[in-house]
mmCIF file of all heavy atoms in Angstrom:
data_model
loop_
_atom_site.group_PDB
_atom_site.id
_atom_site.type_symbol
_atom_site.label_atom_id
_atom_site.label_comp_id
_atom_site.label_asym_id
_atom_site.label_seq_id
_atom_site.Cartn_x
_atom_site.Cartn_y
_atom_site.Cartn_z
ATOM 1 N N ILE A 46 -53.008 14.990 34.471
ATOM 2 C CA ILE A 46 -53.875 14.435 35.524
ATOM 3 C C ILE A 46 -53.560 12.962 35.751
ATOM 4 O O ILE A 46 -53.484 12.498 36.892
ATOM 5 C CB ILE A 46 -55.361 14.646 35.152
ATOM 6 C CG1 ILE A 46 -55.694 16.141 35.210
ATOM 7 C CG2 ILE A 46 -56.283 13.851 36.066
ATOM 8 C CD1 ILE A 46 -57.023 16.519 34.593
ATOM 9 N N ASN A 47 -53.326 12.205 34.673
ATOM 10 C CA ASN A 47 -52.980 10.779 34.795
ATOM 11 C C ASN A 47 -51.685 10.580 35.574
ATOM 12 O O ASN A 47 -51.582 9.662 36.386
ATOM 13 C CB ASN A 47 -52.875 10.124 33.427
ATOM 14 C CG ASN A 47 -54.207 10.013 32.722
ATOM 15 O OD1 ASN A 47 -55.268 10.177 33.328
ATOM 16 N ND2 ASN A 47 -54.161 9.762 31.419
ATOM 17 N N ILE A 48 -50.700 11.439 35.327
ATOM 18 C CA ILE A 48 -49.428 11.328 36.049
ATOM 19 C C ILE A 48 -49.640 11.606 37.532
ATOM 20 O O ILE A 48 -49.119 10.899 38.384
ATOM 21 C CB ILE A 48 -48.365 12.255 35.431
ATOM 22 C CG1 ILE A 48 -47.870 11.652 34.123
ATOM 23 C CG2 ILE A 48 -47.195 12.478 36.390
ATOM 24 C CD1 ILE A 48 -46.915 12.509 33.352
ATOM 25 N N LEU A 49 -50.437 12.616 37.837
ATOM 26 C CA LEU A 49 -50.720 12.917 39.240
ATOM 27 C C LEU A 49 -51.453 11.763 39.912
ATOM 28 O O LEU A 49 -51.167 11.418 41.062
ATOM 29 C CB LEU A 49 -51.531 14.203 39.372
ATOM 30 C CG LEU A 49 -50.868 15.507 38.941
ATOM 31 C CD1 LEU A 49 -51.782 16.678 39.253
ATOM 32 C CD2 LEU A 49 -49.515 15.688 39.594
ATOM 33 N N GLN A 50 -52.393 11.157 39.212
ATOM 34 C CA GLN A 50 -53.175 10.058 39.782
ATOM 35 C C GLN A 50 -52.372 8.769 39.906
ATOM 36 O O GLN A 50 -52.765 7.874 40.647
ATOM 37 C CB GLN A 50 -54.434 9.826 38.948
ATOM 38 C CG GLN A 50 -55.434 10.946 39.081
ATOM 39 C CD GLN A 50 -56.640 10.786 38.164
ATOM 40 O OE1 GLN A 50 -56.635 9.999 37.219
ATOM 41 N NE2 GLN A 50 -57.679 11.564 38.439
ATOM 42 N N SER A 51 -51.239 8.682 39.221
ATOM 43 C CA SER A 51 -50.417 7.465 39.294
ATOM 44 C C SER A 51 -49.751 7.308 40.663
ATOM 45 O O SER A 51 -49.344 6.216 41.032
ATOM 46 C CB SER A 51 -49.347 7.478 38.199
ATOM 47 O OG SER A 51 -48.310 8.398 38.528
ATOM 48 N N GLY A 52 -49.634 8.404 41.399
ATOM 49 C CA GLY A 52 -49.008 8.340 42.713
ATOM 50 C C GLY A 52 -47.492 8.433 42.675
ATOM 51 O O GLY A 52 -46.846 8.459 43.709
ATOM 52 N N LYS A 53 -46.917 8.488 41.504
ATOM 53 C CA LYS A 53 -45.456 8.529 41.370
ATOM 54 C C LYS A 53 -44.951 9.965 41.415
ATOM 55 O O LYS A 53 -45.706 10.915 41.249
ATOM 56 C CB LYS A 53 -45.035 7.864 40.067
ATOM 57 C CG LYS A 53 -45.373 6.392 40.027
ATOM 58 C CD LYS A 53 -44.905 5.772 38.735
ATOM 59 C CE LYS A 53 -45.252 4.288 38.730
ATOM 60 N NZ LYS A 53 -44.848 3.659 37.482
ATOM 61 N N ALA A 54 -43.655 10.092 41.583
ATOM 62 C CA ALA A 54 -43.029 11.412 41.613
ATOM 63 C C ALA A 54 -42.883 11.941 40.187
ATOM 64 O O ALA A 54 -42.632 11.183 39.248
ATOM 65 C CB ALA A 54 -41.673 11.336 42.282
ATOM 66 N N SER A 55 -43.047 13.257 40.051
ATOM 67 C CA SER A 55 -42.892 13.878 38.735
ATOM 68 C C SER A 55 -42.390 15.309 38.901
ATOM 69 O O SER A 55 -42.732 15.988 39.862
ATOM 70 C CB SER A 55 -44.210 13.868 37.966
ATOM 71 O OG SER A 55 -45.224 14.523 38.694
ATOM 72 N N LEU A 56 -41.570 15.726 37.965
ATOM 73 C CA LEU A 56 -41.082 17.096 37.889
ATOM 74 C C LEU A 56 -41.671 17.693 36.615
ATOM 75 O O LEU A 56 -41.394 17.209 35.516
ATOM 76 C CB LEU A 56 -39.561 17.139 37.844
ATOM 77 C CG LEU A 56 -38.934 18.529 37.757
ATOM 78 C CD1 LEU A 56 -39.242 19.347 39.021
ATOM 79 C CD2 LEU A 56 -37.423 18.424 37.565
ATOM 80 N N ILE A 57 -42.512 18.710 36.784
ATOM 81 C CA ILE A 57 -43.244 19.272 35.652
ATOM 82 C C ILE A 57 -42.933 20.761 35.532
ATOM 83 O O ILE A 57 -42.945 21.486 36.520
ATOM 84 C CB ILE A 57 -44.775 19.103 35.823
ATOM 85 C CG1 ILE A 57 -45.155 17.664 36.179
ATOM 86 C CG2 ILE A 57 -45.516 19.598 34.592
ATOM 87 C CD1 ILE A 57 -44.952 16.651 35.103
ATOM 88 N N TYR A 58 -42.668 21.179 34.305
ATOM 89 C CA TYR A 58 -42.487 22.597 34.019
ATOM 90 C C TYR A 58 -43.648 23.055 33.145
ATOM 91 O O TYR A 58 -43.965 22.429 32.135
ATOM 92 C CB TYR A 58 -41.159 22.855 33.300
ATOM 93 C CG TYR A 58 -40.996 24.301 32.917
ATOM 94 C CD1 TYR A 58 -40.858 25.276 33.891
ATOM 95 C CD2 TYR A 58 -41.025 24.695 31.586
ATOM 96 C CE1 TYR A 58 -40.738 26.617 33.544
ATOM 97 C CE2 TYR A 58 -40.900 26.024 31.229
ATOM 98 C CZ TYR A 58 -40.773 26.978 32.219
ATOM 99 O OH TYR A 58 -40.663 28.297 31.883
ATOM 100 N N PHE A 59 -44.283 24.144 33.549
ATOM 101 C CA PHE A 59 -45.404 24.725 32.805
ATOM 102 C C PHE A 59 -44.874 25.926 32.043
ATOM 103 O O PHE A 59 -44.451 26.899 32.649
ATOM 104 C CB PHE A 59 -46.521 25.139 33.768
ATOM 105 C CG PHE A 59 -47.083 23.979 34.542
ATOM 106 C CD1 PHE A 59 -46.533 23.615 35.756
ATOM 107 C CD2 PHE A 59 -48.145 23.251 34.039
ATOM 108 C CE1 PHE A 59 -47.038 22.538 36.467
ATOM 109 C CE2 PHE A 59 -48.657 22.168 34.743
ATOM 110 C CZ PHE A 59 -48.096 21.815 35.968
ATOM 111 N N LYS A 60 -44.895 25.848 30.719
ATOM 112 C CA LYS A 60 -44.312 26.925 29.919
ATOM 113 C C LYS A 60 -45.376 27.662 29.127
ATOM 114 O O LYS A 60 -46.419 27.104 28.803
ATOM 115 C CB LYS A 60 -43.231 26.389 28.994
ATOM 116 C CG LYS A 60 -43.742 25.627 27.793
ATOM 117 C CD LYS A 60 -42.604 25.247 26.861
ATOM 118 C CE LYS A 60 -43.173 24.647 25.589
ATOM 119 N NZ LYS A 60 -42.163 24.363 24.624
#
Side-chain angles (χ1 to χ4, degrees):
I46 292 168
N47 291 346
I48 285 175
L49 295 185
Q50 290 175 345
S51 74
K53 296 182 180 178
S55 57
L56 180 64
I57 310 291
Y58 176 67
F59 299 90
K60 75 175 187 175

